[in-house]
Amino acid sequence: MFICQSLQHALLALTAFCTSAWGAAAHHCAPTTGPSHWQGVVTHYGFANRPLGPFAPKQQVGVNTIRDEVFWDQVQRADGSFQIPQRIDALVDEALRHHITPMLVLGYGHPAHDQGGKPRSAQALEGFRRYAVHVAKHFQGRVRHFEIWNEWDADTGGAPAGDPDSYLQLIQKVAPALRALDPDLCLVVGALTPAAQFNGWLNKALAQGLLKHADALSLHTYNYGEGRGKDTPDSWHRDLQWFIDKELPQHPFTRGKSVLVSEMGWANHQTGVSEHLQAAYALRLRLLSLALAHQTAHTANPYLGHWWYDWQDDGDDPQEMEHRYGLTRRSGLPKAAWTALKDLETFLPTQAAPSRDKTVHIGFEGALTTLTVNRDGPTPHQSTLLAIWHPANEQAQVSVLLHDEAPRFSAACEAQKIAPQKWRITASAMPCLIQLKQPPRGQRPVWETRML
């Protein structure tokens, strides 16, 4: 979550239309095949008590990357030797078998170093460097993306929160060693909580050269506590684009570095959002993430995608927020969010076409948000996706003229035909998805809207 300096800036950012060809400026950390941005989930298979689940359901909802942990205290034995847990090898191999790219988190303390806390002493930093190099060497040729620690600014992992200076010491110790091992690695730093993004922690770290030895900055952008109107995917999009456009370029060593959101989601516990609203937010986040990746593709700091937190509910307590972030239940059964993303995948398949052939446009029709994804190829009658929703989760009706004899509507779309090619759409929190045939270039647009 970020503090916008101006609502005007935010609206201008949101309505910006990027006309350049998609993906022409490929970034070091971007996908090498398929879409040029990440659509990921956090899986937590690194925990000893989390069985390796099936990967086919992840493909079915367009996931092309997972984020998981390789715990230091599970890799380094008491005698100082190293061994990668078999389940980590298994999750990497299973992900790759399903054409899903793993990003591994290097982190958390070890009882033999600094009392198991964050490594700060010279001895602990050297120990962490040796562990990190061992992990990267073990997975060389299979894993290219490594995130160095998770939420150093918080007490995550059972150790007190760390300051920017100590985190920079860790990066300066570890990143050059990983780069020397393999120059092709994508080294990701940050993974910071939302608090770091508005209390000065992140700005201080960036000012001191956080990105000097890294390829990408990752952020955790939860905004569920920001209050009505500021806790939605739409406000997430505005605020993150403002940060990328206005804030990040002010700091040293940032040019050419990408931005990743390695955790983002909404929980459907008792005091959180409903399961239906979680599904609507998951769908809107996916669409807005696609738009932001498109809008920043040719900037100095391209946004490369997000990892939904998380794949599976972590428990069964309906009052516990950490137990209700999943796209699937603890049993593995799908939730409404999984179903919504699977539906989107039938309209906009992740692997169906290279991302460079797409154009994305965000606009407004009264109180509603519209998002259009077009195929920009030379062949006529390509597929166009139109998504319409109410950003404030209310209901409104819009008249839509669709220049297509047989448009396809998503199951959640309330559409009533009121005249030839004319439809009344009831828009709400859940996006209405409409698939249309795109006319030959130079002809009339595939759709026009008017508020009722």
Side-chain angles (χ1 to χ4, degrees):
M1 61 193 76
F2 305 88
I3 299 176
C4 284
Q5 304 253 325
S6 163
L7 180 60
Q8 182 181 11
H9 285 161
L11 292 174
L12 288 173
L14 183 62
T15 56
F17 176 52
C18 182
T19 58
S20 55
W22 181 276
H27 188 271
H28 181 62
C29 292
T32 55
T33 60
S36 56
H37 73 291
W38 298 113
Q39 299 177 164
V41 290
V42 178
T43 46
H44 285 322
Y45 293 138
F47 287 94
N49 62 350
R50 177 64 62 86
L52 187 64
F55 275 68
K58 299 176 181 64
Q59 284 185 307
Q60 292 169 359
V61 294
V63 167
N64 62 358
T65 178
I66 61 169
R67 174 181 180 261
D68 218 308
E69 303 91 352
V70 186
F71 292 93
W72 184 11
D73 64 357
Q74 295 180 11
V75 172
Q76 182 179 333
R77 295 174 164 183
D79 63 1
S81 63
F82 298 105
Q83 183 173 358
I84 303 295
Q86 187 277 333
R87 67 179 180 281
I88 307 299
D89 266 320
L91 82 87
V92 167
D93 290 342
E94 189 67 7
L96 294 176
R97 190 170 73 85
H98 286 84
H99 308 289
I100 294 174
T101 297
M103 179 168 74
L104 298 181
V105 181
L106 303 168
Y108 302 124
H110 191 286
H113 303 276
D114 288 358
Q115 296 77 49
K118 292 179 170 68
R120 301 170 186 267
S121 68
Q123 177 263 352
L125 289 170
E126 173 59 20
F128 190 89
R129 183 199 68 80
R130 292 179 59 243
Y131 140 77
V133 169
H134 177 85
V135 173
K137 188 173 183 179
H138 177 87
F139 287 109
Q140 199 162 13
R142 289 188 288 165
V143 178
R144 195 168 64 87
H145 296 75
F146 291 95
E147 191 174 44
I148 303 175
W149 208 271
N150 176 59
E151 298 185 348
W152 186 274
D153 64 300
D155 59 2
T156 309
D163 59 12
D165 293 338
S166 58
Y167 185 58
L168 285 165
Q169 289 178 347
L170 179 76
I171 300 305
Q172 291 162 2
K173 184 73 173 181
V174 175
L178 295 176
R179 185 78 69 208
L181 172 70
D182 187 349
D184 291 330
L185 292 180
C186 169
L187 301 183
V188 183
V189 300
L192 300 168
T193 69
Q197 298 155 37
F198 60 77
N199 65 11
W201 201 107
L202 174 59
N203 281 340
K204 182 179 179 181
L206 288 170
Q208 294 179 190
L210 174 61
L211 291 176
K212 181 178 181 180
H213 301 291
D215 301 297
L217 172 69
S218 67
L219 302 170
H220 297 172
T221 53
Y222 302 104
N223 64 8
Y224 53 80
E226 289 296 283
R228 184 176 175 83
K230 299 179 181 179
D231 56 356
T232 66
D234 306 75
S235 59
W236 169 88
H237 175 271
R238 291 193 301 268
D239 295 348
L240 183 54
Q241 187 167 30
W242 180 89
F243 173 79
I244 293 171
D245 290 346
K246 304 297 183 182
E247 179 65 33
L248 188 59
Q250 298 180 22
H251 298 286
F253 306 110
T254 58
R255 185 168 183 80
K257 308 300 174 72
S258 61
V259 175
L260 308 172
V261 172
S262 58
E263 287 187 22
M264 182 57 184
W266 289 263
N268 67 298
H269 59 304
Q270 283 186 351
T271 58
V273 299
S274 67
E275 187 170 327
H276 176 79
L277 189 55
Q278 182 191 47
Y281 281 3
L283 187 52
R284 281 153 58 178
L285 182 68
R286 176 72 65 84
L287 291 168
L288 291 167
S289 184
L290 167 67
L292 187 57
H294 184 86
Q295 292 160 347
T296 62
H298 296 272
T299 67
N301 303 112
Y303 164 78
L304 295 183
H306 77 283
W307 284 254
W308 176 272
Y309 188 89
D310 53 7
W311 171 249
Q312 186 176 5
D313 281 349
D314 289 333
D316 298 315
D317 185 351
Q319 299 184 47
E320 174 54 56
M321 181 169 61
E322 280 292 329
H323 288 190
R324 287 293 188 269
Y325 275 106
L327 298 178
T328 64
R329 305 186 194 284
R330 193 182 184 191
S331 64
L333 291 175
K335 292 164 66 174
W338 184 91
T339 303
L341 291 176
K342 185 182 180 184
D343 198 19
L344 174 63
E345 193 66 9
T346 67
F347 284 80
L348 192 67
T350 301
Q351 300 294 340
S355 294
R356 60 179 173 271
D357 289 340
K358 295 188 179 78
T359 59
V360 183
H361 180 206
I362 297 176
F364 300 98
E365 182 59 49
L368 303 181
T369 297
T370 62
L371 184 144
T372 313
V373 184
N374 291 320
R375 285 286 304 279
D376 195 24
T379 306
H381 303 299
Q382 298 283 8
S383 175
T384 292
L385 173 70
L386 169 63
I388 306 174
W389 69 86
H390 198 298
N393 307 328
E394 298 174 3
Q395 279 198 347
Q397 289 187 330
V398 61
S399 172
V400 184
L401 185 63
L402 304 175
H403 302 302
D404 186 336
E405 295 299 330
R408 179 186 169 210
F409 298 93
S410 60
C413 186
E414 295 185 27
Q416 179 185 4
K417 194 169 186 178
I418 55 178
Q421 298 186 325
K422 191 172 183 180
W423 302 79
R424 178 185 290 114
I425 306 296
T426 301
S428 60
M430 179 68 74
C432 171
L433 305 178
I434 309 172
Q435 190 173 57
L436 305 158
K437 291 180 181 178
Q438 186 175 339
R441 190 172 297 178
Q443 293 191 15
R444 62 186 179 179
V446 294
W447 61 276
E448 301 169 37
T449 61
R450 180 175 63 85
M451 288 296 295
L452 294 176

